[in-house]
Structure formats: structure tokens, C-alpha cells
Amino acid sequence: SRGDMELDTKLYITGSDGKKYMGIGVLWLLEEIDKSKSLRSASINMGLSYSKAYGMLKRLEDEVGRPFVERKRGGATREGLELTPFARNYMELYREFQTSAKEAAEKEFVKFREKVETLIEEDRND
């Protein structure tokens, strides 16, 4: 029926310029960097161009004002990108925020949907 509604929540944090700098895609990029220890590998795994992935990371660091990755020199492989402790804490805070914000939105949406159903019923009976 037409009364079926779903809520799609996409949360982005924007800078003073109104442009997005944090969202689920950036979180996935950080997780991918954490796994592959390389921005290039992370971008390939996510199907992003290197410049796009680099831009996402750079913008996040510029907006937050803290480094999210650090180079670890040495080792047999050239891959040596590590998340900073700050980055890990930030990701944890973002995950908690996203979960609670979505739960709150879902609760409000249930109330909204019930009110709309009531409105439709009343309108039919007029």
C-alpha cells in the first residue's frame, strides 16, 4: 500500500563551507587503511581513485585538525600507513554517534508514521 514508508538515514558531518567531510564512506576508508596499511590499496579495494581517497582523508584531517594516519618506515613491504591513536578514538566516537542518531531518528519516524496513518484515516472519514 501507499502507506508503507521506510526511513533512510544518511548522516554526514559538514564543514563551515557546507561540504561533507565525515560520513560512512570516510569511516570505511579508514577501516580499509587500517586493514591494508596503505591508502593506495584501500582506494583500490573500495573502487575509488587514489586522488579521491587521498582527498577524503586530507579533508578529514584538515577539518578536524589532527593527523589520522602516520607512516611507519621499514619492513619488507612498502606499505606502512598506520592509523593514529586519535583516529581510532575518533572512529569509535563516530560509530557510537551514528548508532544512537539512527536509533533516535527511527523512534521519531515511528511516531511520524503513526500520526500520518491517523491523519489518513480521519481524512477518509470526513
PDB file of all heavy atoms in Angstrom, residues 1 3 113-126:
ATOM      1  N   SER A   1       0.839  -1.202   0.000  1.00  0.00           N
ATOM      2  CA  SER A   1       0.000   0.000   0.000  1.00  0.00           C
ATOM      3  C   SER A   1       0.868   1.244   0.000  1.00  0.00           C
ATOM      4  O   SER A   1       2.048   1.187   0.346  1.00  0.00           O
ATOM      5  CB  SER A   1      -0.906   0.013   1.226  1.00  0.00           C
ATOM      6  OG  SER A   1      -0.165   0.376   2.365  1.00  0.00           O
ATOM      7  N   GLY A   3       0.778   3.558   1.949  1.00  0.00           N
ATOM      8  CA  GLY A   3       1.096   3.987   3.313  1.00  0.00           C
ATOM      9  C   GLY A   3       2.399   3.422   3.848  1.00  0.00           C
ATOM     10  O   GLY A   3       2.858   3.821   4.905  1.00  0.00           O
ATOM     11  N   ARG A 113       5.009   8.181  11.424  1.00  0.00           N
ATOM     12  CA  ARG A 113       4.239   7.263  10.590  1.00  0.00           C
ATOM     13  C   ARG A 113       2.864   7.002  11.201  1.00  0.00           C
ATOM     14  O   ARG A 113       1.857   6.976  10.481  1.00  0.00           O
ATOM     15  CB  ARG A 113       5.022   5.965  10.437  1.00  0.00           C
ATOM     16  CG  ARG A 113       4.568   5.114   9.280  1.00  0.00           C
ATOM     17  CD  ARG A 113       5.538   4.000   9.000  1.00  0.00           C
ATOM     18  NE  ARG A 113       5.824   3.232  10.211  1.00  0.00           N
ATOM     19  CZ  ARG A 113       6.807   2.341  10.320  1.00  0.00           C
ATOM     20  NH1 ARG A 113       7.617   2.121   9.307  1.00  0.00           N
ATOM     21  NH2 ARG A 113       6.994   1.687  11.439  1.00  0.00           N
ATOM     22  N   GLU A 114       2.819   6.820  12.530  1.00  0.00           N
ATOM     23  CA  GLU A 114       1.533   6.594  13.203  1.00  0.00           C
ATOM     24  C   GLU A 114       0.611   7.802  13.055  1.00  0.00           C
ATOM     25  O   GLU A 114      -0.583   7.663  12.813  1.00  0.00           O
ATOM     26  CB  GLU A 114       1.763   6.276  14.684  1.00  0.00           C
ATOM     27  CG  GLU A 114       2.294   4.864  14.891  1.00  0.00           C
ATOM     28  CD  GLU A 114       2.823   4.625  16.311  1.00  0.00           C
ATOM     29  OE1 GLU A 114       2.812   5.581  17.131  1.00  0.00           O
ATOM     30  OE2 GLU A 114       3.257   3.483  16.591  1.00  0.00           O
ATOM     31  N   LYS A 115       1.185   9.011  13.177  1.00  0.00           N
ATOM     32  CA  LYS A 115       0.380  10.233  13.043  1.00  0.00           C
ATOM     33  C   LYS A 115      -0.152  10.382  11.621  1.00  0.00           C
ATOM     34  O   LYS A 115      -1.289  10.815  11.429  1.00  0.00           O
ATOM     35  CB  LYS A 115       1.209  11.457  13.426  1.00  0.00           C
ATOM     36  CG  LYS A 115       1.451  11.567  14.916  1.00  0.00           C
ATOM     37  CD  LYS A 115       2.389  12.721  15.234  1.00  0.00           C
ATOM     38  CE  LYS A 115       2.677  12.779  16.734  1.00  0.00           C
ATOM     39  NZ  LYS A 115       3.753  13.743  17.032  1.00  0.00           N
ATOM     40  N   VAL A 116       0.671  10.032  10.632  1.00  0.00           N
ATOM     41  CA  VAL A 116       0.233  10.103   9.238  1.00  0.00           C
ATOM     42  C   VAL A 116      -0.894   9.103   8.996  1.00  0.00           C
ATOM     43  O   VAL A 116      -1.893   9.422   8.343  1.00  0.00           O
ATOM     44  CB  VAL A 116       1.412   9.866   8.263  1.00  0.00           C
ATOM     45  CG1 VAL A 116       0.912   9.648   6.834  1.00  0.00           C
ATOM     46  CG2 VAL A 116       2.390  11.027   8.319  1.00  0.00           C
ATOM     47  N   GLU A 117      -0.765   7.885   9.544  1.00  0.00           N
ATOM     48  CA  GLU A 117      -1.820   6.871   9.386  1.00  0.00           C
ATOM     49  C   GLU A 117      -3.134   7.363   9.987  1.00  0.00           C
ATOM     50  O   GLU A 117      -4.199   7.198   9.389  1.00  0.00           O
ATOM     51  CB  GLU A 117      -1.386   5.548  10.013  1.00  0.00           C
ATOM     52  CG  GLU A 117      -0.421   4.778   9.121  1.00  0.00           C
ATOM     53  CD  GLU A 117       0.332   3.659   9.843  1.00  0.00           C
ATOM     54  OE1 GLU A 117      -0.035   3.335  11.000  1.00  0.00           O
ATOM     55  OE2 GLU A 117       1.290   3.127   9.247  1.00  0.00           O
ATOM     56  N   THR A 118      -3.045   8.000  11.160  1.00  0.00           N
ATOM     57  CA  THR A 118      -4.234   8.578  11.806  1.00  0.00           C
ATOM     58  C   THR A 118      -4.829   9.675  10.932  1.00  0.00           C
ATOM     59  O   THR A 118      -6.048   9.730  10.730  1.00  0.00           O
ATOM     60  CB  THR A 118      -3.860   9.140  13.193  1.00  0.00           C
ATOM     61  OG1 THR A 118      -3.263   8.108  13.960  1.00  0.00           O
ATOM     62  CG2 THR A 118      -5.089   9.676  13.917  1.00  0.00           C
ATOM     63  N   LEU A 119      -3.982  10.527  10.395  1.00  0.00           N
ATOM     64  CA  LEU A 119      -4.412  11.635   9.530  1.00  0.00           C
ATOM     65  C   LEU A 119      -5.145  11.098   8.298  1.00  0.00           C
ATOM     66  O   LEU A 119      -6.204  11.600   7.919  1.00  0.00           O
ATOM     67  CB  LEU A 119      -3.194  12.461   9.108  1.00  0.00           C
ATOM     68  CG  LEU A 119      -3.455  13.687   8.227  1.00  0.00           C
ATOM     69  CD1 LEU A 119      -4.212  14.756   9.004  1.00  0.00           C
ATOM     70  CD2 LEU A 119      -2.137  14.232   7.690  1.00  0.00           C
ATOM     71  N   ILE A 120      -4.597  10.044   7.698  1.00  0.00           N
ATOM     72  CA  ILE A 120      -5.204   9.433   6.507  1.00  0.00           C
ATOM     73  C   ILE A 120      -6.583   8.865   6.858  1.00  0.00           C
ATOM     74  O   ILE A 120      -7.566   9.083   6.124  1.00  0.00           O
ATOM     75  CB  ILE A 120      -4.281   8.346   5.911  1.00  0.00           C
ATOM     76  CG1 ILE A 120      -3.036   8.991   5.295  1.00  0.00           C
ATOM     77  CG2 ILE A 120      -5.029   7.488   4.879  1.00  0.00           C
ATOM     78  CD1 ILE A 120      -1.925   8.017   4.914  1.00  0.00           C
ATOM     79  N   GLU A 121      -6.670   8.150   8.001  1.00  0.00           N
ATOM     80  CA  GLU A 121      -7.957   7.585   8.439  1.00  0.00           C
ATOM     81  C   GLU A 121      -8.999   8.682   8.635  1.00  0.00           C
ATOM     82  O   GLU A 121     -10.130   8.565   8.183  1.00  0.00           O
ATOM     83  CB  GLU A 121      -7.775   6.810   9.744  1.00  0.00           C
ATOM     84  CG  GLU A 121      -7.235   5.399   9.561  1.00  0.00           C
ATOM     85  CD  GLU A 121      -8.007   4.598   8.504  1.00  0.00           C
ATOM     86  OE1 GLU A 121      -9.244   4.486   8.634  1.00  0.00           O
ATOM     87  OE2 GLU A 121      -7.373   4.112   7.561  1.00  0.00           O
ATOM     88  N   GLU A 122      -8.589   9.753   9.332  1.00  0.00           N
ATOM     89  CA  GLU A 122      -9.527  10.855   9.604  1.00  0.00           C
ATOM     90  C   GLU A 122      -9.967  11.520   8.313  1.00  0.00           C
ATOM     91  O   GLU A 122     -11.127  11.894   8.148  1.00  0.00           O
ATOM     92  CB  GLU A 122      -8.867  11.886  10.529  1.00  0.00           C
ATOM     93  CG  GLU A 122      -8.739  11.394  11.962  1.00  0.00           C
ATOM     94  CD  GLU A 122      -7.855  12.280  12.823  1.00  0.00           C
ATOM     95  OE1 GLU A 122      -7.260  13.250  12.297  1.00  0.00           O
ATOM     96  OE2 GLU A 122      -7.763  12.003  14.026  1.00  0.00           O
ATOM     97  N   ASP A 123      -9.055  11.638   7.373  1.00  0.00           N
ATOM     98  CA  ASP A 123      -9.354  12.290   6.097  1.00  0.00           C
ATOM     99  C   ASP A 123     -10.332  11.453   5.286  1.00  0.00           C
ATOM    100  O   ASP A 123     -11.209  11.991   4.623  1.00  0.00           O
ATOM    101  CB  ASP A 123      -8.045  12.505   5.317  1.00  0.00           C
ATOM    102  CG  ASP A 123      -8.237  13.512   4.193  1.00  0.00           C
ATOM    103  OD1 ASP A 123      -8.637  14.660   4.482  1.00  0.00           O
ATOM    104  OD2 ASP A 123      -7.999  13.141   3.019  1.00  0.00           O
ATOM    105  N   ARG A 124     -10.181  10.124   5.374  1.00  0.00           N
ATOM    106  CA  ARG A 124     -11.094   9.220   4.657  1.00  0.00           C
ATOM    107  C   ARG A 124     -12.507   9.332   5.222  1.00  0.00           C
ATOM    108  O   ARG A 124     -13.474   9.192   4.499  1.00  0.00           O
ATOM    109  CB  ARG A 124     -10.631   7.767   4.844  1.00  0.00           C
ATOM    110  CG  ARG A 124      -9.553   7.354   3.881  1.00  0.00           C
ATOM    111  CD  ARG A 124      -9.456   5.836   3.826  1.00  0.00           C
ATOM    112  NE  ARG A 124      -8.226   5.430   3.147  1.00  0.00           N
ATOM    113  CZ  ARG A 124      -7.216   4.758   3.722  1.00  0.00           C
ATOM    114  NH1 ARG A 124      -7.315   4.414   4.993  1.00  0.00           N
ATOM    115  NH2 ARG A 124      -6.167   4.444   3.036  1.00  0.00           N
ATOM    116  N   ASN A 125     -12.591   9.537   6.516  1.00  0.00           N
ATOM    117  CA  ASN A 125     -13.903   9.532   7.186  1.00  0.00           C
ATOM    118  C   ASN A 125     -14.616  10.872   7.129  1.00  0.00           C
ATOM    119  O   ASN A 125     -15.735  10.988   7.599  1.00  0.00           O
ATOM    120  CB  ASN A 125     -13.743   9.069   8.639  1.00  0.00           C
ATOM    121  CG  ASN A 125     -13.228   7.647   8.721  1.00  0.00           C
ATOM    122  OD1 ASN A 125     -13.472   6.842   7.814  1.00  0.00           O
ATOM    123  ND2 ASN A 125     -12.489   7.336   9.781  1.00  0.00           N
ATOM    124  N   ASP A 126     -13.941  11.882   6.628  1.00  0.00           N
ATOM    125  CA  ASP A 126     -14.595  13.203   6.540  1.00  0.00           C
ATOM    126  C   ASP A 126     -15.702  13.220   5.499  1.00  0.00           C
ATOM    127  O   ASP A 126     -15.546  12.672   4.435  1.00  0.00           O
ATOM    128  CB  ASP A 126     -13.554  14.291   6.187  1.00  0.00           C
ATOM    129  CG  ASP A 126     -12.845  14.772   7.450  1.00  0.00           C
ATOM    130  OD1 ASP A 126     -13.273  14.362   8.538  1.00  0.00           O
ATOM    131  OD2 ASP A 126     -11.880  15.548   7.336  1.00  0.00           O
TER     132      ASP A 126
END
